[in-house]
Amino acid sequence: MFHNIGISGLLIIFAIALIVFGPAKLPQLGKAFGETLREFRSSTRGIIEDDKHEPAAELLKERHPS
């Protein structure tokens, strides 16, 4: 995700965030960003798992129609 930014780019982004939000808000923003990223990843995993199991369910329906 951050392969092309590099250390200098990250430092510039951090400095701008420090100026805009101030030192008191940065930990809260980092926590919120981490929670959002964690929720996104778990949702993505859920969608992938649903896609993996869905074709098998469709095959069972074809073999044993209700």
Side-chain angles (χ1 to χ4, degrees):
M1 185 167 149
F2 296 109
H3 298 285
N4 296 334
I5 292 178
I7 298 295
S8 60
L10 288 175
L11 288 175
I12 291 170
I13 291 170
F14 180 73
I16 291 171
L18 187 61
I19 291 169
V20 171
F21 297 110
K25 292 281 184 180
L26 283 182
Q28 294 171 352
L29 290 172
K31 182 179 178 182
F33 179 73
E35 290 173 354
T36 303
L37 188 60
R38 189 176 311 119
E39 180 65 29
F40 178 75
R41 285 182 180 172
S42 67
S43 298
T44 305
R45 284 188 195 122
I47 292 170
I48 291 171
E49 290 298 321
D50 288 345
D51 286 344
K52 286 181 181 177
H53 296 295
E54 188 174 322
E58 288 180 11
L59 285 174
L60 287 175
K61 286 181 185 177
E62 290 175 3
R63 292 181 184 169
H64 305 287
S66 298

